[in-house]
Amino acid sequence: MSKVIADLSMSLDGYVAGPDPDLEDPLGQGGERLHEWAFGAQSWRETHGQEGGERNTDSDVIDERVRATGAVVMGRKMFSGGSGPWEQDPRDRGWWGEDPPFHAPVFVLTHHEREPLPMEGGTTFNFVTGGIEAAIEQARAAAGEKDVHVAGGGTVVQQAIASGLLDELEVHVAPVFLGGGAPLFERMAADVGLEIVRVIDSPTVTHLRYRVLTR
Amino acid sequence: MSKVIADLSMSLDGYVAGPDPDLEDPLGQGGERLHEWAFGAQSWRETHGQEGGERNTDSDVIDERVRATGAVVMGRKMFSGGSGPWEQDPRDRGWWGEDPPFHAPVFVLTHHEREPLPMEGGTTFNFVTGGIEAAIEQARAAAGEKDVHVAGGGTVVQQAIASGLLDELEVHVAPVFLGGGAPLFERMAADVGLEIVRVIDSPTVTHLRYRVLTR
């Protein structure tokens, strides 16, 4: 059964990136700390073309997401950190080099049209100018029986929830304060319901999964 | 071993009370939903002088806190919702009637001096004008071998963390969006460390406990 699921790491004070992100430091000040739990996990290293790492609970959680995902949706900022016309974007091939860790079609929300960009390792970046609903619709068609993974940032997740198209939400709560930055949840509609699906904990992070109840 | 521990319920979007609290609705719009997990628990009902309720995981978590607590620290807003001189505070005996659910000495942070206020059932409200450090110090002396429970609101917890006197933090994450209100964590110092102590989950809430690492 194909699902649309947002899945991202959040600090205990609610941020998915730290203050003052720039091209050198795309996750903002301290933002890397949100993902420390993943860096040592075997499955994370595998998708990023690295060897080694631990086979643990966190690795299993990542592995499960990788196996379930048929397509990814993300915002322009997450893709390149840029805005405006593509010719002026210094990171117009994304952050991840020529073999990005997605290994699946990725649908990037943007205001600026662009041809699809095939990369190595099975990732193709597709650029969607029709908004979150169009992006999820295209990702769903590409994903087939598999899930659509809404990867971020926070505003894209907020749009996905507001659209009523998000089925589930998996938040990896990192034991970290960032003190500012990009909030995952901002001015949420109080009538969006949540139901706890499961909780998995490890010494370094807590994985909370919710069903999102459409109004 | 006596500990100083903040323990409160938070929405997934980070609030300990909803928008627009007033004397009719002290927890703000939707704020009651943060505590729904507790209302049906036997131990919560017991401390509030009510019968019945379920004996479940959540009830055990509350029970453990009640048994461990020797004294409570809270802010003026949590105590009465008021501010300014006590003569002008319509809730100057607190929200909870003549037999409050604390059954222990409570230290209320205020800018306005006042004699201690003994209530029924073992609760005495003490009023502290010397700030968070004085309140925790007095509560620690009153608690003896037991814990000091910093009960809220958010700004008081923030002050306790900033003071370096908070040992632990227990956040009951309710599967609820409030969309606004009083944040638990606001402009936290990014160099305050957290360590996961334990995670307990139930179908209605997730109990996250952290050790707070002093800088």
Side-chain angles (χ1 to χ4, degrees), chain A residues 2-212:
Chain A
S2 175
K3 281 184 303 202
V4 181
I5 179 159
D7 180 315
L8 57 186
S9 295
M10 179 182 90
S11 65
L12 185 60
D13 55 348
Y15 298 101
V16 294
D20 307 320
D22 58 30
L23 290 182
E24 297 302 301
D25 199 7
L27 293 169
Q29 283 168 35
E32 294 271 320
R33 296 165 64 210
L34 294 177
H35 305 282
E36 260 164 27
W37 67 270
F39 296 149
Q42 192 192 65
S43 55
W44 187 91
R45 301 178 70 86
E46 213 171 281
T47 56
H48 287 72
Q50 294 171 25
E51 290 186 3
E54 235 184 302
R55 180 92 249 149
N56 55 19
T57 306
D58 300 327
S59 185
D60 291 346
V61 168
I62 296 169
D63 203 36
E64 181 191 42
R65 171 69 46 237
V66 170
R67 285 172 198 277
T69 296
V72 176
V73 170
M74 68 175 63
R76 166 81 181 266
K77 286 276 180 220
M78 182 168 170
F79 172 69
S80 73
S83 59
W86 288 106
E87 309 78 70
Q88 295 160 24
D89 190 330
R91 289 280 188 176
D92 68 346
R93 297 177 70 79
W95 292 107
W96 302 275
E98 291 306 304
D99 183 7
F102 306 105
H103 315 294
V106 177
F107 295 82
V108 179
L109 285 155
T110 168
H111 298 294
H112 300 271
E113 289 194 12
R114 182 174 171 187
E115 290 298 306
L117 176 64
M119 308 292 283
E120 290 168 22
T123 299
T124 297
F125 293 114
N126 303 275
F127 301 92
V128 182
T129 55
I132 187 73
E133 298 188 18
I136 289 177
E137 192 185 315
Q138 291 177 38
R140 221 200 270 272
E145 295 292 294
K146 290 188 160 186
D147 290 353
V148 172
H149 171 197
V150 178
T155 56
V156 172
V157 173
Q158 292 160 33
Q159 288 167 18
I161 293 173
S163 76
L165 297 176
L166 198 73
D167 298 309
E168 291 187 354
L169 179 58
E170 178 137 5
V171 186
H172 313 284
V173 182
V176 161
F177 290 130
L178 289 182
L184 176 50
F185 303 117
E186 202 171 27
R187 290 185 284 277
M188 301 304 295
D191 59 351
V192 172
L194 295 169
E195 211 175 81
I196 299 170
V197 174
R198 72 163 197 206
V199 173
I200 295 178
D201 69 294
S202 86
T204 52
V205 67
T206 314
H207 310 280
L208 307 179
R209 190 186 292 180
Y210 299 92
R211 193 168 294 116
V212 179

Side-chain angles (χ1 to χ4, degrees), chain B residues 98-139:
Chain B
E98 291 306 303
D99 183 7
F102 306 104
H103 315 295
V106 177
F107 295 83
V108 179
L109 284 155
T110 169
H111 297 292
H112 300 271
E113 288 193 11
R114 182 174 172 187
E115 290 298 304
L117 176 64
M119 309 293 282
E120 290 168 23
T123 299
T124 298
F125 292 114
N126 304 274
F127 302 92
V128 182
T129 55
I132 187 72
E133 297 189 17
I136 289 177
E137 193 185 316
Q138 291 177 38

Side-chain angles (χ1 to χ4, degrees), chain B residues 38-54 62:
Chain B
F39 296 149
Q42 191 191 67
S43 55
W44 187 90
R45 301 178 69 86
E46 214 172 279
T47 56
H48 287 74
Q50 295 171 26
E51 290 185 4
E54 234 184 302
I62 296 169

